[in-house]
Amino acid sequence: MTEHTGAGAAADPSGGWLDDAASHLQQGAVYVSPDVANASGLQTQLAKLVPSDGSIAVVVLPDQAYLDSKPYPTYLLDKLFDGTHYGSLVVAIGTDLQATSRTIPKDEAMSIANEAEISANGNTANALTAAVQRIEASVPEGESTSGGAGPAVAWLLPVGIVAALVAAGIVTAITVLRRRRGRRAEPAAIPSSVNDRLTRLSALQQDYARLGAGDAIAARTATTIGSLVGTVSQLFPRLDARAADDQRGLAEVEYTDKLGRLVAALDRDYLLDILQNPQLWEDPDERIQEVQEALDAVSQQALDNVKQVNARKALHFQVSLDSLVGRDELRDWEREFTRNSKPTDSGEDQTDRK
């Protein structure tokens, strides 16, 4: 196995988890890192679950691998997927699920992974099972489920058969493009920018839950994060059904911003470290209170917004997170989080609003 520490890891932001997983995906559709608890059992279980046609691959990494995805939250997922022929890829980093796909919209795949993670309540095996089954069921009938067998196949076929396959492929491609155009007109249940932040919050919830065994503040924080993630996950599907497009757009901008700021404040470099090492911080009690108040406020606002949607009223946003960016070091971390959250292929992320 590739060494995960030392000079090699420092030079490569993927640490070594990326190389290990990428190498194993060339041999099979399931890779469970030996550093994951019950790796052998989970490998066997997933091998029975994942289809043998190359439509879906699954990678399971330990929670420590999240520290190696520093360039942006889905770095490992994107790098692994770019180097494979699979139709879809589901990656579990600890209890955090991510997914992407060539056969269904990427936003839809990520939403499926997020919903599976939330419903599984920290059980990675159950979350992976639900995600794989839902992604497989979401592929449109008649559409190829994998990235293809590669150009070498054509050399094995008579010219006449190749010509017939090319003609059939053109017809299929036109049908698929039409189907995809119609589907893209419908927004994902949860916008990808919001979904990314919910995914990070869910991972942080597990960190606080583990710490909460001996820390009442950490336990309370884990509970509030879980409530917030669940409420926001309910908000957007209800907006799709009951609110106008401008209301959904407004909610997407607001929650992309607010959840992004909360992730920066709750992350391992700030509140988690304050709770574990209060002696290393100035005014630790004041800092803890600031984050707790902001988390409570956003959680209450999300609940109020769901109630407004149910009552078919216009959404109102009154939560201010100014206190979270009042400290220089936290403002710097939020700016770094925003920069790393920007898409690498197009446009700017909506969180960069000053």
Side-chain angles (χ1 to χ4, degrees):
M1 185 176 68
T2 303
E3 186 67 34
H4 293 161
T5 59
D12 180 0
S14 69
W17 310 108
L18 176 60
D19 293 339
D20 287 350
S23 175
H24 282 79
L25 285 180
Q26 299 302 319
Q27 306 168 32
V30 176
Y31 171 65
V32 180
S33 168
D35 297 317
V36 172
N38 189 30
S40 178
L42 188 56
Q43 176 84 29
T44 301
Q45 179 179 346
L46 293 174
K48 296 178 181 178
L49 170 70
V50 173
S52 59
D53 58 0
S55 58
I56 302 176
V58 175
V59 171
V60 185
L61 302 175
D63 188 63
Q64 303 96 294
Y66 222 123
L67 299 177
D68 297 327
S69 60
K70 283 295 185 183
Y72 55 94
T74 59
Y75 176 79
L76 294 178
L77 174 74
D78 294 343
K79 288 296 182 182
L80 285 172
F81 193 54
D82 289 344
T84 69
H85 63 277
Y86 299 102
S88 301
L89 174 65
V90 181
V91 174
I93 305 178
T95 58
D96 173 31
L97 251 65
Q98 302 175 358
T100 187
S101 181
R102 297 183 177 95
T103 54
I104 65 175
K106 291 185 177 181
D107 286 353
E108 182 179 348
M110 186 64 83
S111 292
I112 288 174
N114 182 66
E115 291 165 8
E117 175 191 332
I118 293 172
S119 63
N121 293 321
N123 188 313
T124 301
N126 289 347
L128 287 168
T129 299
V132 169
Q133 291 176 342
R134 285 194 55 192
I135 289 175
E136 188 177 14
S138 298
V139 177
E141 185 178 354
E143 185 168 344
S144 173
T145 56
S146 71
V153 175
W155 295 100
L156 302 178
L157 300 174
V159 175
I161 296 178
V162 172
L165 289 174
V166 170
I170 293 173
V171 173
T172 301
I174 293 173
T175 302
V176 169
L177 286 172
R178 286 174 177 172
R179 184 182 296 127
R180 284 182 174 175
R181 285 195 191 103
R183 188 166 54 203
R184 283 196 189 103
E186 300 176 2
I190 302 175
S192 60
S193 58
V194 176
N195 191 48
D196 288 345
R197 284 143 180 78
L198 292 177
T199 298
R200 288 291 290 114
L201 286 170
S202 294
L204 287 169
Q205 179 192 9
Q206 299 303 316
D207 292 336
Y208 282 99
R210 285 190 288 269
L211 182 61
D215 190 315
I217 295 176
R220 178 180 179 278
T221 301
T223 300
T224 308
I225 293 174
S227 176
L228 173 61
V229 170
T231 303
V232 175
S233 297
Q234 286 287 325
L235 173 62
F236 284 91
R238 292 169 187 263
L239 275 169
D240 283 345
R242 304 183 185 184
D245 290 342
D246 60 339
Q247 290 292 294
R248 177 185 169 87
L250 177 62
E252 179 178 353
V253 170
E254 288 291 332
Y255 280 99
T256 295
D257 180 37
K258 289 180 170 60
L259 296 180
R261 296 191 188 195
L262 279 180
V263 168
L266 293 164
D267 215 347
R268 300 174 178 92
D269 292 334
Y270 195 67
L271 183 60
L272 263 175
D273 192 50
I274 295 173
L275 293 178
Q276 292 176 301
N277 303 290
Q279 74 280 1
L280 302 179
W281 292 83
E282 293 182 356
D283 305 319
D285 292 339
E286 182 180 345
R287 293 170 185 268
I288 292 170
Q289 184 177 355
E290 285 178 350
V291 180
Q292 290 284 319
E293 289 176 352
L295 178 60
D296 289 343
V298 177
S299 184
Q300 183 60 51
Q301 184 69 79
L303 181 59
D304 291 342
N305 287 158
V306 170
K307 291 179 179 179
Q308 288 161 5
V309 171
N310 290 339
R312 302 194 180 187
K313 296 179 180 179
L315 297 182
H316 299 286
F317 301 99
Q318 300 174 342
V319 175
S320 172
L321 298 187
D322 290 343
S323 62
L324 283 183
V325 294
R327 296 180 183 272
D328 290 341
E329 68 271 25
L330 187 47
R331 187 188 301 114
D332 291 340
W333 285 329
E334 184 200 0
R335 188 179 299 113
E336 183 68 18
F337 174 81
T338 299
R339 181 164 52 248
N340 291 339
S341 297
K342 290 182 180 179
T344 58
D345 52 355
S346 63
E348 289 192 345
D349 193 69
Q350 289 172 314
T351 60
D352 197 17
R353 304 188 303 122
K354 300 297 180 184

